[in-house]
Amino acid sequence: MNDLIGYCGYNCHLCAARSDDINVRQKLVDAWRKYLGHEMYTAENVACEGCKSKGDKVADKRCKARPCAKEKGLDSCAQCDAFPCEKVKPLIAHPAAMLTYGYKNLKDITEEEYNLCIRQWNSMPNLIKILIEEGKLPSFVLEKIKI
């Protein structure tokens, strides 16, 4: 499972970009365009094996966090002394925050669209757990914030 958590904490295992079904990826792309304004993705170029895969089959080819973490030999950006840097900050998300800040765009989202394009953006719990494992936060924090 750890290989399916992105360097930024993204839940790759929940992402429809990993689907072999081009129709599923098209629905993902359509939802990202509709709700997040992502115009650069197509069902073909969004096909992804996860950012920790050995190949270059990743959805976000412009991601700056992935090459940085790979170059530093990190399993997570949260392990880096520079965390959270400008490369990873835009990728840190939680569905509750996305819904709160983006509710005007997301007010008509269907459950299927939410499952396709929002739920995988839940990096904060993964990053907090890693920060605790790395000794950068006390362990009681996880219980207090209930994420």
Side-chain angles (χ1 to χ4, degrees), residues 8-26:
C8 66
Y10 188 92
N11 290 304
C12 298
H13 61 284
L14 297 176
C15 186
R18 295 187 63 245
S19 176
D20 291 330
D21 185 341
I22 195 164
N23 297 312
V24 170
R25 292 195 316 270
Q26 185 61 55

Side-chain angles (χ1 to χ4, degrees), residues 10 12 15-18 25 28-29 32 40-51 53 55-63 66 120-121:
Y10 188 92
C12 298
C15 186
R18 295 187 63 245
R25 292 195 316 270
L28 168 69
V29 167
W32 276 354
M40 64 238 173
Y41 298 110
T42 65
E44 291 79 18
N45 73 14
V46 79
C48 186
E49 295 173 341
C51 72
S53 68
D56 259 353
K57 196 173 179 184
V58 293
D60 189 356
K61 303 230 188 301
R62 299 184 313 177
C63 175
R66 178 182 191 250
Q120 66 269 30
W121 289 98

Side-chain angles (χ1 to χ4, degrees), residues 68-91:
C68 180
K70 285 180 78 164
E71 181 181 311
K72 292 179 178 182
L74 302 174
D75 192 48
S76 170
C77 292
Q79 296 171 317
C80 183
D81 291 336
F83 179 83
C85 72
E86 297 306 313
K87 294 173 187 171
V88 74
K89 277 183 188 178
L91 304 173

Side-chain angles (χ1 to χ4, degrees), residues 3 11 39 43 59 81 87 96 127 129:
D3 286 344
N11 290 304
E39 296 292 331
D81 291 336
K87 294 173 187 171
L127 295 170
K129 288 175 188 169

Side-chain angles (χ1 to χ4, degrees), residues 76-130:
S76 170
C77 292
Q79 296 171 317
C80 183
D81 291 336
F83 179 83
C85 72
E86 297 306 313
K87 294 173 187 171
V88 74
K89 277 183 188 178
L91 304 173
I92 298 173
H94 190 277
M98 293 178 76
L99 293 169
T100 301
Y101 293 111
Y103 75 91
K104 290 179 181 176
N105 293 336
L106 297 165
K107 68 182 180 215
D108 296 321
I109 194 167
T110 67
E111 187 172 356
E112 178 186 28
E113 291 168 327
Y114 174 87
N115 288 333
L116 285 168
C117 77
I118 300 293
R119 71 180 180 151
Q120 66 269 30
W121 289 98
N122 196 11
S123 60
M124 293 180 95
N126 297 322
L127 295 170
I128 300 265
K129 288 175 188 169
I130 292 166

